[in-house]
PDB file of all heavy atoms in Angstrom:
ATOM      1  N   ALA A   1       4.811 -13.911 -13.320  1.00  0.00           N
ATOM      2  CA  ALA A   1       4.052 -13.220 -14.357  1.00  0.00           C
ATOM      3  C   ALA A   1       3.708 -11.799 -13.939  1.00  0.00           C
ATOM      4  O   ALA A   1       3.748 -10.875 -14.759  1.00  0.00           O
ATOM      5  CB  ALA A   1       2.780 -14.007 -14.681  1.00  0.00           C
ATOM      6  N   GLY A   2       3.369 -11.622 -12.666  1.00  0.00           N
ATOM      7  CA  GLY A   2       3.028 -10.283 -12.187  1.00  0.00           C
ATOM      8  C   GLY A   2       4.187  -9.313 -12.336  1.00  0.00           C
ATOM      9  O   GLY A   2       4.020  -8.188 -12.841  1.00  0.00           O
ATOM     10  N   LEU A   3       5.379  -9.734 -11.918  1.00  0.00           N
ATOM     11  CA  LEU A   3       6.545  -8.850 -12.035  1.00  0.00           C
ATOM     12  C   LEU A   3       7.010  -8.724 -13.477  1.00  0.00           C
ATOM     13  O   LEU A   3       7.515  -7.675 -13.888  1.00  0.00           O
ATOM     14  CB  LEU A   3       7.679  -9.362 -11.154  1.00  0.00           C
ATOM     15  CG  LEU A   3       7.849  -8.583  -9.836  1.00  0.00           C
ATOM     16  CD1 LEU A   3       8.374  -7.175 -10.084  1.00  0.00           C
ATOM     17  CD2 LEU A   3       6.528  -8.511  -9.074  1.00  0.00           C
ATOM     18  N   ALA A   4       6.840  -9.780 -14.272  1.00  0.00           N
ATOM     19  CA  ALA A   4       7.178  -9.686 -15.689  1.00  0.00           C
ATOM     20  C   ALA A   4       6.295  -8.660 -16.383  1.00  0.00           C
ATOM     21  O   ALA A   4       6.771  -7.856 -17.203  1.00  0.00           O
ATOM     22  CB  ALA A   4       7.033 -11.051 -16.352  1.00  0.00           C
ATOM     23  N   LEU A   5       5.010  -8.679 -16.055  1.00  0.00           N
ATOM     24  CA  LEU A   5       4.079  -7.706 -16.624  1.00  0.00           C
ATOM     25  C   LEU A   5       4.465  -6.290 -16.207  1.00  0.00           C
ATOM     26  O   LEU A   5       4.527  -5.373 -17.035  1.00  0.00           O
ATOM     27  CB  LEU A   5       2.655  -8.028 -16.163  1.00  0.00           C
ATOM     28  CG  LEU A   5       1.570  -7.013 -16.550  1.00  0.00           C
ATOM     29  CD1 LEU A   5       1.335  -7.051 -18.062  1.00  0.00           C
ATOM     30  CD2 LEU A   5       0.272  -7.296 -15.803  1.00  0.00           C
ATOM     31  N   GLU A   6       4.721  -6.116 -14.926  1.00  0.00           N
ATOM     32  CA  GLU A   6       5.064  -4.794 -14.408  1.00  0.00           C
ATOM     33  C   GLU A   6       6.360  -4.272 -15.035  1.00  0.00           C
ATOM     34  O   GLU A   6       6.434  -3.119 -15.485  1.00  0.00           O
ATOM     35  CB  GLU A   6       5.198  -4.864 -12.887  1.00  0.00           C
ATOM     36  CG  GLU A   6       5.315  -3.521 -12.210  1.00  0.00           C
ATOM     37  CD  GLU A   6       5.248  -3.640 -10.695  1.00  0.00           C
ATOM     38  OE1 GLU A   6       5.341  -4.762 -10.168  1.00  0.00           O
ATOM     39  OE2 GLU A   6       5.105  -2.597 -10.045  1.00  0.00           O
ATOM     40  N   THR A   7       7.379  -5.118 -15.077  1.00  0.00           N
ATOM     41  CA  THR A   7       8.659  -4.720 -15.666  1.00  0.00           C
ATOM     42  C   THR A   7       8.511  -4.396 -17.144  1.00  0.00           C
ATOM     43  O   THR A   7       9.058  -3.398 -17.635  1.00  0.00           O
ATOM     44  CB  THR A   7       9.702  -5.840 -15.483  1.00  0.00           C
ATOM     45  OG1 THR A   7       9.821  -6.154 -14.096  1.00  0.00           O
ATOM     46  CG2 THR A   7      11.057  -5.414 -16.017  1.00  0.00           C
ATOM     47  N   SER A   8       7.767  -5.230 -17.867  1.00  0.00           N
ATOM     48  CA  SER A   8       7.566  -4.993 -19.299  1.00  0.00           C
ATOM     49  C   SER A   8       6.865  -3.669 -19.550  1.00  0.00           C
ATOM     50  O   SER A   8       7.250  -2.901 -20.455  1.00  0.00           O
ATOM     51  CB  SER A   8       6.748  -6.133 -19.913  1.00  0.00           C
ATOM     52  OG  SER A   8       7.445  -7.362 -19.847  1.00  0.00           O
ATOM     53  N   LEU A   9       5.838  -3.377 -18.755  1.00  0.00           N
ATOM     54  CA  LEU A   9       5.095  -2.134 -18.956  1.00  0.00           C
ATOM     55  C   LEU A   9       5.960  -0.908 -18.660  1.00  0.00           C
ATOM     56  O   LEU A   9       5.872   0.098 -19.368  1.00  0.00           O
ATOM     57  CB  LEU A   9       3.848  -2.135 -18.070  1.00  0.00           C
ATOM     58  CG  LEU A   9       2.672  -2.943 -18.622  1.00  0.00           C
ATOM     59  CD1 LEU A   9       1.628  -3.187 -17.555  1.00  0.00           C
ATOM     60  CD2 LEU A   9       2.043  -2.214 -19.819  1.00  0.00           C
ATOM     61  N   ILE A  10       6.792  -0.998 -17.635  1.00  0.00           N
ATOM     62  CA  ILE A  10       7.681   0.122 -17.326  1.00  0.00           C
ATOM     63  C   ILE A  10       8.679   0.345 -18.459  1.00  0.00           C
ATOM     64  O   ILE A  10       8.930   1.490 -18.882  1.00  0.00           O
ATOM     65  CB  ILE A  10       8.408  -0.126 -15.990  1.00  0.00           C
ATOM     66  CG1 ILE A  10       7.414  -0.015 -14.826  1.00  0.00           C
ATOM     67  CG2 ILE A  10       9.551   0.880 -15.789  1.00  0.00           C
ATOM     68  CD1 ILE A  10       7.979  -0.445 -13.490  1.00  0.00           C
ATOM     69  N   LEU A  11       9.238  -0.745 -18.997  1.00  0.00           N
ATOM     70  CA  LEU A  11      10.191  -0.625 -20.095  1.00  0.00           C
ATOM     71  C   LEU A  11       9.515  -0.121 -21.373  1.00  0.00           C
ATOM     72  O   LEU A  11      10.090   0.678 -22.125  1.00  0.00           O
ATOM     73  CB  LEU A  11      10.870  -1.978 -20.352  1.00  0.00           C
ATOM     74  CG  LEU A  11      11.797  -2.481 -19.238  1.00  0.00           C
ATOM     75  CD1 LEU A  11      12.282  -3.887 -19.542  1.00  0.00           C
ATOM     76  CD2 LEU A  11      12.980  -1.534 -19.052  1.00  0.00           C
ATOM     77  N   ILE A  12       8.297  -0.594 -21.624  1.00  0.00           N
ATOM     78  CA  ILE A  12       7.552  -0.127 -22.799  1.00  0.00           C
ATOM     79  C   ILE A  12       7.254   1.360 -22.668  1.00  0.00           C
ATOM     80  O   ILE A  12       7.409   2.138 -23.618  1.00  0.00           O
ATOM     81  CB  ILE A  12       6.244  -0.931 -22.965  1.00  0.00           C
ATOM     82  CG1 ILE A  12       6.556  -2.358 -23.413  1.00  0.00           C
ATOM     83  CG2 ILE A  12       5.325  -0.257 -23.980  1.00  0.00           C
ATOM     84  CD1 ILE A  12       5.366  -3.289 -23.355  1.00  0.00           C
ATOM     85  N   TYR A  13       6.832   1.769 -21.483  1.00  0.00           N
ATOM     86  CA  TYR A  13       6.534   3.188 -21.258  1.00  0.00           C
ATOM     87  C   TYR A  13       7.777   4.037 -21.490  1.00  0.00           C
ATOM     88  O   TYR A  13       7.721   5.086 -22.136  1.00  0.00           O
ATOM     89  CB  TYR A  13       6.007   3.390 -19.843  1.00  0.00           C
ATOM     90  CG  TYR A  13       5.514   4.799 -19.590  1.00  0.00           C
ATOM     91  CD1 TYR A  13       4.181   5.134 -19.793  1.00  0.00           C
ATOM     92  CD2 TYR A  13       6.381   5.802 -19.167  1.00  0.00           C
ATOM     93  CE1 TYR A  13       3.721   6.421 -19.585  1.00  0.00           C
ATOM     94  CE2 TYR A  13       5.935   7.095 -18.950  1.00  0.00           C
ATOM     95  CZ  TYR A  13       4.610   7.397 -19.161  1.00  0.00           C
ATOM     96  OH  TYR A  13       4.166   8.683 -18.960  1.00  0.00           O
ATOM     97  N   GLN A  14       8.900   3.581 -20.955  1.00  0.00           N
ATOM     98  CA  GLN A  14      10.143   4.330 -21.125  1.00  0.00           C
ATOM     99  C   GLN A  14      10.550   4.391 -22.594  1.00  0.00           C
ATOM    100  O   GLN A  14      11.008   5.432 -23.088  1.00  0.00           O
ATOM    101  CB  GLN A  14      11.256   3.688 -20.306  1.00  0.00           C
ATOM    102  CG  GLN A  14      12.550   4.487 -20.288  1.00  0.00           C
ATOM    103  CD  GLN A  14      13.595   3.857 -19.394  1.00  0.00           C
ATOM    104  OE1 GLN A  14      13.590   2.646 -19.192  1.00  0.00           O
ATOM    105  NE2 GLN A  14      14.487   4.660 -18.853  1.00  0.00           N
ATOM    106  N   SER A  15      10.386   3.295 -23.320  1.00  0.00           N
ATOM    107  CA  SER A  15      10.748   3.277 -24.739  1.00  0.00           C
ATOM    108  C   SER A  15       9.833   4.171 -25.563  1.00  0.00           C
ATOM    109  O   SER A  15      10.275   4.852 -26.494  1.00  0.00           O
ATOM    110  CB  SER A  15      10.676   1.845 -25.277  1.00  0.00           C
ATOM    111  OG  SER A  15      11.594   1.004 -24.609  1.00  0.00           O
ATOM    112  N   ALA A  16       8.546   4.177 -25.227  1.00  0.00           N
ATOM    113  CA  ALA A  16       7.573   4.934 -26.011  1.00  0.00           C
ATOM    114  C   ALA A  16       7.636   6.432 -25.724  1.00  0.00           C
ATOM    115  O   ALA A  16       7.431   7.253 -26.620  1.00  0.00           O
ATOM    116  CB  ALA A  16       6.167   4.407 -25.738  1.00  0.00           C
ATOM    117  N   HIS A  17       7.907   6.794 -24.460  1.00  0.00           N
ATOM    118  CA  HIS A  17       7.829   8.196 -24.067  1.00  0.00           C
ATOM    119  C   HIS A  17       9.188   8.811 -23.761  1.00  0.00           C
ATOM    120  O   HIS A  17       9.293  10.032 -23.603  1.00  0.00           O
ATOM    121  CB  HIS A  17       6.917   8.349 -22.848  1.00  0.00           C
ATOM    122  CG  HIS A  17       5.505   7.918 -23.118  1.00  0.00           C
ATOM    123  ND1 HIS A  17       4.570   8.733 -23.727  1.00  0.00           N
ATOM    124  CD2 HIS A  17       4.869   6.736 -22.887  1.00  0.00           C
ATOM    125  CE1 HIS A  17       3.429   8.092 -23.854  1.00  0.00           C
ATOM    126  NE2 HIS A  17       3.579   6.869 -23.343  1.00  0.00           N
ATOM    127  N   GLY A  18      10.220   7.971 -23.623  1.00  0.00           N
ATOM    128  CA  GLY A  18      11.553   8.500 -23.401  1.00  0.00           C
ATOM    129  C   GLY A  18      11.873   8.850 -21.962  1.00  0.00           C
ATOM    130  O   GLY A  18      12.970   9.291 -21.655  1.00  0.00           O
ATOM    131  N   TYR A  19      10.930   8.676 -21.059  1.00  0.00           N
ATOM    132  CA  TYR A  19      11.173   8.970 -19.642  1.00  0.00           C
ATOM    133  C   TYR A  19      10.193   8.155 -18.808  1.00  0.00           C
ATOM    134  O   TYR A  19       9.198   7.650 -19.311  1.00  0.00           O
ATOM    135  CB  TYR A  19      10.973  10.460 -19.344  1.00  0.00           C
ATOM    136  CG  TYR A  19       9.560  10.946 -19.568  1.00  0.00           C
ATOM    137  CD1 TYR A  19       8.626  10.946 -18.533  1.00  0.00           C
ATOM    138  CD2 TYR A  19       9.145  11.376 -20.832  1.00  0.00           C
ATOM    139  CE1 TYR A  19       7.324  11.370 -18.755  1.00  0.00           C
ATOM    140  CE2 TYR A  19       7.851  11.795 -21.048  1.00  0.00           C
ATOM    141  CZ  TYR A  19       6.942  11.802 -20.014  1.00  0.00           C
ATOM    142  OH  TYR A  19       5.653  12.216 -20.233  1.00  0.00           O
ATOM    143  N   VAL A  20      10.469   8.034 -17.535  1.00  0.00           N
ATOM    144  CA  VAL A  20       9.540   7.355 -16.632  1.00  0.00           C
ATOM    145  C   VAL A  20       9.441   8.113 -15.315  1.00  0.00           C
ATOM    146  O   VAL A  20       8.386   8.511 -14.888  1.00  0.00           O
ATOM    147  CB  VAL A  20       9.947   5.872 -16.440  1.00  0.00           C
ATOM    148  CG1 VAL A  20      11.061   5.691 -15.470  1.00  0.00           C
ATOM    149  CG2 VAL A  20       8.770   5.033 -16.043  1.00  0.00           C
ATOM    150  N   PHE A  21      10.541   8.340 -14.650  1.00  0.00           N
ATOM    151  CA  PHE A  21      10.696   9.171 -13.468  1.00  0.00           C
ATOM    152  C   PHE A  21       9.496   9.102 -12.517  1.00  0.00           C
ATOM    153  O   PHE A  21       9.229   8.062 -11.936  1.00  0.00           O
ATOM    154  CB  PHE A  21      11.012  10.620 -13.870  1.00  0.00           C
ATOM    155  CG  PHE A  21      12.251  10.746 -14.682  1.00  0.00           C
ATOM    156  CD1 PHE A  21      12.200  11.172 -16.006  1.00  0.00           C
ATOM    157  CD2 PHE A  21      13.476  10.392 -14.149  1.00  0.00           C
ATOM    158  CE1 PHE A  21      13.360  11.261 -16.768  1.00  0.00           C
ATOM    159  CE2 PHE A  21      14.634  10.477 -14.903  1.00  0.00           C
ATOM    160  CZ  PHE A  21      14.571  10.914 -16.204  1.00  0.00           C
ATOM    161  N   THR A  22       8.745  10.220 -12.373  1.00  0.00           N
ATOM    162  CA  THR A  22       7.673  10.255 -11.373  1.00  0.00           C
ATOM    163  C   THR A  22       6.554   9.272 -11.689  1.00  0.00           C
ATOM    164  O   THR A  22       5.846   8.830 -10.782  1.00  0.00           O
ATOM    165  CB  THR A  22       7.076  11.669 -11.264  1.00  0.00           C
ATOM    166  OG1 THR A  22       6.618  12.074 -12.567  1.00  0.00           O
ATOM    167  CG2 THR A  22       8.138  12.653 -10.783  1.00  0.00           C
ATOM    168  N   ARG A  23       6.378   8.919 -12.965  1.00  0.00           N
ATOM    169  CA  ARG A  23       5.286   8.002 -13.325  1.00  0.00           C
ATOM    170  C   ARG A  23       5.518   6.597 -12.782  1.00  0.00           C
ATOM    171  O   ARG A  23       4.566   5.836 -12.636  1.00  0.00           O
ATOM    172  CB  ARG A  23       5.159   7.932 -14.851  1.00  0.00           C
ATOM    173  CG  ARG A  23       4.808   9.248 -15.516  1.00  0.00           C
ATOM    174  CD  ARG A  23       3.370   9.645 -15.231  1.00  0.00           C
ATOM    175  NE  ARG A  23       3.054  10.936 -15.796  1.00  0.00           N
ATOM    176  CZ  ARG A  23       2.597  11.127 -17.028  1.00  0.00           C
ATOM    177  NH1 ARG A  23       2.435  10.088 -17.829  1.00  0.00           N
ATOM    178  NH2 ARG A  23       2.314  12.324 -17.465  1.00  0.00           N
ATOM    179  N   ILE A  24       6.762   6.247 -12.516  1.00  0.00           N
ATOM    180  CA  ILE A  24       7.039   4.885 -12.069  1.00  0.00           C
ATOM    181  C   ILE A  24       6.381   4.604 -10.724  1.00  0.00           C
ATOM    182  O   ILE A  24       5.906   3.501 -10.462  1.00  0.00           O
ATOM    183  CB  ILE A  24       8.562   4.616 -12.012  1.00  0.00           C
ATOM    184  CG1 ILE A  24       8.823   3.117 -11.905  1.00  0.00           C
ATOM    185  CG2 ILE A  24       9.226   5.356 -10.857  1.00  0.00           C
ATOM    186  CD1 ILE A  24      10.276   2.741 -12.090  1.00  0.00           C
ATOM    187  N   GLY A  25       6.320   5.632  -9.861  1.00  0.00           N
ATOM    188  CA  GLY A  25       5.662   5.451  -8.569  1.00  0.00           C
ATOM    189  C   GLY A  25       4.181   5.144  -8.735  1.00  0.00           C
ATOM    190  O   GLY A  25       3.626   4.275  -8.049  1.00  0.00           O
ATOM    191  N   LEU A  26       3.530   5.845  -9.669  1.00  0.00           N
ATOM    192  CA  LEU A  26       2.114   5.597  -9.925  1.00  0.00           C
ATOM    193  C   LEU A  26       1.893   4.213 -10.531  1.00  0.00           C
ATOM    194  O   LEU A  26       0.883   3.557 -10.257  1.00  0.00           O
ATOM    195  CB  LEU A  26       1.558   6.670 -10.857  1.00  0.00           C
ATOM    196  CG  LEU A  26       1.462   8.082 -10.277  1.00  0.00           C
ATOM    197  CD1 LEU A  26       1.029   9.065 -11.356  1.00  0.00           C
ATOM    198  CD2 LEU A  26       0.480   8.107  -9.107  1.00  0.00           C
ATOM    199  N   MET A  27       2.844   3.783 -11.351  1.00  0.00           N
ATOM    200  CA  MET A  27       2.717   2.459 -11.955  1.00  0.00           C
ATOM    201  C   MET A  27       2.853   1.365 -10.907  1.00  0.00           C
ATOM    202  O   MET A  27       2.084   0.398 -10.894  1.00  0.00           O
ATOM    203  CB  MET A  27       3.744   2.301 -13.070  1.00  0.00           C
ATOM    204  CG  MET A  27       3.527   3.275 -14.223  1.00  0.00           C
ATOM    205  SD  MET A  27       4.785   3.210 -15.513  1.00  0.00           S
ATOM    206  CE  MET A  27       4.185   1.842 -16.495  1.00  0.00           C
ATOM    207  N   PHE A  28       3.819   1.506 -10.012  1.00  0.00           N
ATOM    208  CA  PHE A  28       3.944   0.554  -8.901  1.00  0.00           C
ATOM    209  C   PHE A  28       2.680   0.573  -8.041  1.00  0.00           C
ATOM    210  O   PHE A  28       2.185  -0.476  -7.620  1.00  0.00           O
ATOM    211  CB  PHE A  28       5.152   0.892  -8.033  1.00  0.00           C
ATOM    212  CG  PHE A  28       6.459   0.397  -8.583  1.00  0.00           C
ATOM    213  CD1 PHE A  28       7.520   1.262  -8.764  1.00  0.00           C
ATOM    214  CD2 PHE A  28       6.633  -0.938  -8.910  1.00  0.00           C
ATOM    215  CE1 PHE A  28       8.724   0.810  -9.272  1.00  0.00           C
ATOM    216  CE2 PHE A  28       7.840  -1.408  -9.410  1.00  0.00           C
ATOM    217  CZ  PHE A  28       8.895  -0.523  -9.597  1.00  0.00           C
ATOM    218  N   ALA A  29       2.168   1.786  -7.776  1.00  0.00           N
ATOM    219  CA  ALA A  29       0.979   1.912  -6.933  1.00  0.00           C
ATOM    220  C   ALA A  29      -0.224   1.231  -7.569  1.00  0.00           C
ATOM    221  O   ALA A  29      -1.030   0.595  -6.875  1.00  0.00           O
ATOM    222  CB  ALA A  29       0.678   3.390  -6.671  1.00  0.00           C
ATOM    223  N   SER A  30      -0.354   1.345  -8.883  1.00  0.00           N
ATOM    224  CA  SER A  30      -1.479   0.701  -9.576  1.00  0.00           C
ATOM    225  C   SER A  30      -1.419  -0.812  -9.418  1.00  0.00           C
ATOM    226  O   SER A  30      -2.439  -1.469  -9.143  1.00  0.00           O
ATOM    227  CB  SER A  30      -1.461   1.063 -11.070  1.00  0.00           C
ATOM    228  OG  SER A  30      -1.684   2.435 -11.251  1.00  0.00           O
ATOM    229  N   PHE A  31      -0.221  -1.372  -9.583  1.00  0.00           N
ATOM    230  CA  PHE A  31      -0.079  -2.821  -9.450  1.00  0.00           C
ATOM    231  C   PHE A  31      -0.388  -3.275  -8.022  1.00  0.00           C
ATOM    232  O   PHE A  31      -1.115  -4.254  -7.814  1.00  0.00           O
ATOM    233  CB  PHE A  31       1.342  -3.237  -9.836  1.00  0.00           C
ATOM    234  CG  PHE A  31       1.558  -4.725  -9.810  1.00  0.00           C
ATOM    235  CD1 PHE A  31       1.224  -5.508 -10.901  1.00  0.00           C
ATOM    236  CD2 PHE A  31       2.088  -5.352  -8.691  1.00  0.00           C
ATOM    237  CE1 PHE A  31       1.409  -6.884 -10.889  1.00  0.00           C
ATOM    238  CE2 PHE A  31       2.283  -6.719  -8.665  1.00  0.00           C
ATOM    239  CZ  PHE A  31       1.942  -7.485  -9.762  1.00  0.00           C
ATOM    240  N   MET A  32       0.142  -2.558  -7.031  1.00  0.00           N
ATOM    241  CA  MET A  32      -0.071  -2.954  -5.639  1.00  0.00           C
ATOM    242  C   MET A  32      -1.525  -2.763  -5.218  1.00  0.00           C
ATOM    243  O   MET A  32      -2.068  -3.565  -4.455  1.00  0.00           O
ATOM    244  CB  MET A  32       0.865  -2.166  -4.723  1.00  0.00           C
ATOM    245  CG  MET A  32       2.345  -2.415  -4.977  1.00  0.00           C
ATOM    246  SD  MET A  32       2.792  -4.174  -5.021  1.00  0.00           S
ATOM    247  CE  MET A  32       2.417  -4.661  -3.324  1.00  0.00           C
ATOM    248  N   PHE A  33      -2.170  -1.699  -5.713  1.00  0.00           N
ATOM    249  CA  PHE A  33      -3.585  -1.498  -5.402  1.00  0.00           C
ATOM    250  C   PHE A  33      -4.423  -2.625  -6.001  1.00  0.00           C
ATOM    251  O   PHE A  33      -5.345  -3.149  -5.363  1.00  0.00           O
ATOM    252  CB  PHE A  33      -4.055  -0.146  -5.938  1.00  0.00           C
ATOM    253  CG  PHE A  33      -5.503   0.144  -5.652  1.00  0.00           C
ATOM    254  CD1 PHE A  33      -5.917   0.445  -4.360  1.00  0.00           C
ATOM    255  CD2 PHE A  33      -6.447   0.099  -6.664  1.00  0.00           C
ATOM    256  CE1 PHE A  33      -7.255   0.706  -4.092  1.00  0.00           C
ATOM    257  CE2 PHE A  33      -7.782   0.360  -6.409  1.00  0.00           C
ATOM    258  CZ  PHE A  33      -8.191   0.667  -5.111  1.00  0.00           C
ATOM    259  N   GLY A  34      -4.089  -3.009  -7.235  1.00  0.00           N
ATOM    260  CA  GLY A  34      -4.773  -4.144  -7.841  1.00  0.00           C
ATOM    261  C   GLY A  34      -4.566  -5.418  -7.043  1.00  0.00           C
ATOM    262  O   GLY A  34      -5.501  -6.209  -6.862  1.00  0.00           O
ATOM    263  N   SER A  35      -3.339  -5.631  -6.541  1.00  0.00           N
ATOM    264  CA  SER A  35      -3.053  -6.822  -5.725  1.00  0.00           C
ATOM    265  C   SER A  35      -3.913  -6.840  -4.470  1.00  0.00           C
ATOM    266  O   SER A  35      -4.451  -7.886  -4.089  1.00  0.00           O
ATOM    267  CB  SER A  35      -1.571  -6.846  -5.332  1.00  0.00           C
ATOM    268  OG  SER A  35      -0.751  -6.958  -6.464  1.00  0.00           O
TER     269      SER A  35
END
């Protein structure tokens, strides 16, 4: 569930904004900090 949530959010972000690039590192960091 944790990785499904993370993957879904990254894909949603990419679909909504058209890019992810540098933001993906911050998204991974948020999940790991929460863990």
Side-chain angles (χ1 to χ4, degrees):
L3 258 291
L5 174 69
E6 190 172 12
T7 304
S8 296
L9 280 166
I10 290 171
L11 293 174
I12 289 169
Y13 187 92
Q14 187 176 28
S15 298
H17 298 278
Y19 64 92
V20 80
F21 301 115
T22 56
R23 298 289 177 89
I24 195 170
L26 292 174
M27 296 176 83
F28 279 126
S30 295
F31 184 85
M32 298 309 296
F33 180 72
S35 297

